[in-house]
Amino acid sequence: MGVGMGFLDSLRPNRAAQFDLVGAAGNAIDLTRRRPTISLSKQGGAVGNLRVNLSWQMRTSDIEDRRRQSGRLLRHPLKFFQPEPVQAHTQGVATVDLDLGCLYELADGSKGVVQALGEFYGDLNSAPYVKHSGDDRFGSGSGETIFVNLDHREEIRRLLFFVYIYDQTPAFDRTHAKMTLYPGHGPRIEIDLDERAPEARSCAVFLLENVKGELLVRREVKFVYGFQGELDRMYGWGMQWGRGVKAGKA
């Protein structure tokens, strides 16, 4: 799942970078199938740093199972003294590792990817004007974040934000995942990955496109069974892909 070497030399990790976390107010706009598109330009959010955050948590099916078990305990009181199996729940939490990435195409035709895999963290103040803040392998409350410098919007043609599961079993059906966009001005924009796709390993979540100077966000939420190469083919990026390994992974 790595990438060809034509554009990789310009992507170097820089974890020391500081980012402006000023975001939107308390209100939010949901992008859905019925309302899939919004204009950042018309919302006044096409300037400054756009913060794109991926967060997720386990689905509540395990809680619902416990409620059903409580009903059975009323009918069979002796089962109350049996130890509760926790292996499935613990394993489920440990194996969910969603990763955030972004395919970019700039106005000069250059293309590439920003993602933790391969340590292609990008750059905020020079091309590609997209920066990954670092890998979250444990699903913490902050999730994973990518910043986009929209003050260079004229140099951006399109960005495809996606989520993938690097090296564990597919788990989209076991998580509530959400991508939230925090423009420099205007309300935040939320996109739920609310479709069940138990065998999928990647999901194209949304496109940010510069259409005649107007920045448009379009909800995609398209699950695929492969990785970045399949997303590339689906959206016509035309890059060469090979296997990549996370830092600290063999």
Side-chain angles (χ1 to χ4, degrees):
M1 284 92 57
V3 290
M5 297 301 296
F7 56 88
L8 299 187
D9 292 339
S10 63
L11 297 178
R12 297 292 186 224
N14 182 10
R15 295 179 180 273
Q18 299 295 317
F19 301 105
D20 180 9
L21 294 182
V22 176
N27 57 330
I29 296 174
D30 292 324
L31 292 189
T32 63
R33 285 185 176 183
R34 290 190 173 185
R35 185 186 182 184
T37 306
I38 190 171
S39 170
L40 285 182
S41 300
K42 292 180 179 179
Q43 297 288 329
V47 295
N49 290 340
L50 170 68
R51 178 162 56 106
V52 179
N53 177 257
L54 168 68
S55 60
W56 69 93
Q57 61 184 3
M58 296 300 296
R59 291 187 181 273
T60 57
S61 57
D62 57 338
I63 300 175
E64 295 168 357
D65 290 342
R66 291 187 180 187
R67 290 176 179 173
R68 287 193 290 268
Q69 290 174 6
S70 298
R72 288 195 292 270
L73 287 176
L74 294 176
R75 296 189 297 271
H76 306 283
L78 292 178
K79 291 184 178 293
F80 178 80
F81 299 98
Q82 296 179 356
E84 181 182 2
V86 296
Q87 180 179 2
H89 176 74
T90 303
Q91 183 180 9
V93 173
T95 57
V96 176
D97 179 17
L98 304 185
D99 293 279
L100 175 63
C102 175
L103 286 170
Y104 65 82
E105 181 180 2
L106 302 183
D108 63 3
S110 59
K111 301 176 183 179
V113 66
V114 171
Q115 60 184 21
L117 181 61
E119 298 187 336
F120 304 129
Y121 292 104
D123 195 291
L124 197 63
N125 297 311
S126 60
Y129 310 106
V130 180
K131 177 72 177 178
H132 198 299
S133 64
D135 185 21
D136 171 22
R137 298 185 183 178
F138 304 103
S140 67
S142 60
E144 293 195 3
T145 300
I146 288 179
F147 294 85
V148 182
N149 187 346
L150 295 184
D151 289 338
H152 291 269
R153 57 191 175 277
E154 295 86 359
E155 300 177 64
I156 297 173
R157 179 172 296 168
R158 59 173 179 161
L159 306 175
L160 176 65
F161 286 83
F162 61 90
V163 179
Y164 62 101
I165 302 173
Y166 167 64
D167 60 353
Q168 303 292 348
T169 57
F172 281 114
D173 63 326
R174 302 209 315 274
T175 63
H176 283 295
K178 175 183 293 188
M179 201 169 285
T180 306
L181 290 69
Y182 298 89
H185 299 282
R188 69 182 186 272
I189 302 166
E190 297 181 347
I191 304 173
D192 288 317
L193 279 65
D194 51 4
E195 299 176 17
R196 294 295 182 100
E199 300 300 322
R201 289 189 173 273
S202 305
C203 179
V205 182
F206 75 91
L207 269 170
L208 174 64
E209 294 183 286
N210 190 332
V211 181
K212 297 180 179 179
E214 182 178 6
L215 287 184
L216 300 178
V217 175
R218 187 176 79 234
R219 177 189 184 272
E220 297 291 319
V221 189
K222 294 180 179 178
F223 291 91
V224 299
Y225 300 104
F227 291 97
Q228 292 90 324
E230 188 168 348
L231 294 174
D232 181 308
R233 290 188 293 272
M234 181 183 297
Y235 289 89
W237 240 263
M239 298 192 299
Q240 297 296 319
W241 296 85
R243 178 162 179 81
V245 179
K246 280 189 181 182
K249 299 266 187 176

